[in-house]
Amino acid sequence: MTLPSSVRIVEVGPRDGLQNEQQPIPIEVKLELIHQLAGAGVTYIEAGSFVNPKWIPQMAGSEEVFRQLRRDAGVCYAALTPNMQGYQRAVESGVSEVAIFAAASEAFSHKNINCSVAESIERFTSVMEAAARDKIPVRGYVSCVVGCPYEGDVAPEQVAAVARQLFDMGCYEVSMGDTIGVGTPASVSTMLEATLQYIPATRLAVHLHDTYGQALANIYASLQLGIATVDSSVAGLGGCPYAKGASGNVATEDVIYLLNGLGIEHGIDLDRLVAAGNFISHTLGKESGSKVARARRQ
Ligand code: HMG
Ligand code: MG
């Protein structure tokens, strides 16, 4: 199959990246990062999450982030909402859209959101109803689409069934998360092929953590299957608080370099993106997880 002519980047660094940092991150730093990302041409930024702050303290300030955001026209500022309480907080803070998140594995669902997969789908029903009433688009995530830190391999049919439920209940797009980054082009393609039976490629995204260094290869395999939305995290920030050893998402800078090489449109200025990644890496006092950023610094 021919590759897509353009790819939409969903930048998850300010949420998936920063949720995992140990040190407290001031609101001003989060805002500066989000503003720099928008300045680089990123049009979708997951800027926070409205989860239980006792579980994820780093996201406790999401209200303030959304209230103080300088919003650029044409940029979607989104947040995770696990339940109605989170949804209400998100709407009151002026989010552009929300995301619900389920898992393909029971054990991960319990650890991450404290309920079974079926119970989570039930919880999301009220979020979907409220969002439909408020005309707020909802994105869906499926975690552990290849492997689970507690259960091991996850069957592609099981993944496809959860993705299908999120799609059927009204998510406009479902993002397939290799939460612990164990997939290879073979396992990721098999999983996507199972899901493509129910959801068209235009409504699927890939969300690949880079733990085993396979994320770019997996993105290339996904592009070959017609997937044209890629989640990524500037400077490769992040990990998963409920998946020990999981590294961050694939670095946005590295995805942009790949897309540039393939002649695929994306609308992002690589120099400004690298600057945003260097800003946050420097502020956190850590080496950037982007190989492109590191290569350009030498
Ligand atoms: P729970 O403890 O089962 O909730 O948490 P509960 O309904 O029993 O309520 C317990 C307490 O939580 C109550 O407070 C509620 O008010 C409060 P208390 O009476 O004890 O003071 N509470 C909330 N507070 C603020 N906002 C809320 C909220 N809901 C309840 N929305 C819950 C259930 C889902 C809330 C909890 O398990 C939770 O917050 N989990 C979040 C986990 C999380 O954020 N994980 C990381 C994101 S997912 C991810 O990274 C994967 C992804 O990137 C894709 C991939 O990589 O695969 C998306
Ligand atoms: Mg993630």
Side-chain angles (χ1 to χ4, degrees):
M1 182 171 178
T2 53
L3 299 175
S5 57
S6 75
V7 158
R8 168 173 164 262
I9 294 288
V10 168
E11 171 59 51
V12 297
R15 192 280 304 171
D16 205 356
L18 298 186
Q19 76 180 7
N20 211 48
E21 288 298 320
Q22 298 304 315
Q23 56 182 301
I25 300 165
I27 301 287
E28 304 74 61
V29 170
K30 294 183 179 178
L31 288 169
E32 178 62 23
L33 174 63
I34 295 165
H35 293 155
Q36 287 199 25
L37 288 166
V42 178
T43 56
Y44 190 112
I45 304 175
E46 208 171 68
S49 70
F50 294 93
V51 299
N52 184 344
K54 288 190 190 130
W55 287 53
I56 312 281
Q58 280 298 6
M59 292 292 118
S62 289
E63 268 95 352
E64 272 317 298
V65 170
F66 277 92
R67 283 196 194 120
Q68 293 185 36
L69 265 183
R70 195 182 61 233
R71 289 163 200 260
D72 280 9
V75 177
C76 176
Y77 301 93
L80 292 192
T81 55
N83 53 18
M84 275 308 286
Q85 197 175 335
Y87 175 78
Q88 270 147 8
R89 289 175 58 205
V91 170
E92 281 161 20
S93 308
V95 296
S96 320
E97 69 173 62
V98 299
I100 56 177
F101 48 111
S105 112
E106 286 296 342
F108 190 81
S109 185
H110 280 281
K111 292 272 185 195
N112 193 34
I113 51 175
N114 205 21
C115 64
S116 70
V117 176
E119 282 162 350
S120 72
I121 300 288
E122 182 60 37
R123 271 185 200 172
F124 298 145
T125 309
S126 23
V127 174
M128 294 306 301
E129 283 167 7
R133 191 191 57 222
D134 299 340
K135 301 198 169 38
I136 302 251
V138 185
R139 192 167 194 253
Y141 278 105
V142 185
S143 288
C144 299
V145 297
V146 181
C148 165
Y150 313 104
E151 291 180 11
D153 291 349
V154 178
E157 300 71 35
Q158 195 174 321
V159 175
V162 177
R164 183 185 191 178
Q165 287 187 73
L166 293 179
F167 187 63
D168 287 349
M169 70 199 290
C171 291
Y172 74 89
E173 179 173 277
V174 182
S175 177
M176 308 302 284
D178 182 8
T179 318
I180 53 171
V182 290
T184 63
S187 54
V188 167
S189 298
T190 305
M191 175 279 294
L192 288 174
E193 275 157 4
T195 308
L196 283 164
Q197 309 253 335
Y198 310 112
I199 306 178
T202 49
R203 302 304 188 93
L204 282 176
V206 283
H207 176 108
L208 304 164
H209 287 254
D210 199 33
T211 319
Y212 286 81
Q214 305 294 300
L216 282 180
N218 293 340
I219 287 172
Y220 190 64
S222 308
L223 297 175
Q224 287 180 310
L225 289 170
I227 312 279
T229 299
V230 174
D231 298 5
S232 59
S233 172
V234 71
L237 289 173
C240 177
Y242 301 104
K244 202 163 164 281
S247 77
N249 289 85
V250 63
T252 311
E253 298 91 318
D254 300 1
V255 178
I256 295 303
Y257 184 88
L258 171 73
L259 297 176
N260 284 347
L262 294 170
I264 296 177
E265 295 285 326
H266 48 71
I268 293 174
D269 179 324
L270 183 56
D271 290 335
R272 294 186 71 176
L273 181 68
V274 168
N278 288 345
F279 157 74
I280 192 65
S281 302
H282 180 72
T283 306
L284 296 173
K286 59 204 277 190
E287 177 76 271
S288 173
S290 159
K291 288 203 164 176
V292 168
R294 295 210 294 264
R296 287 181 159 220
R297 211 177 302 141
Q298 283 150 16

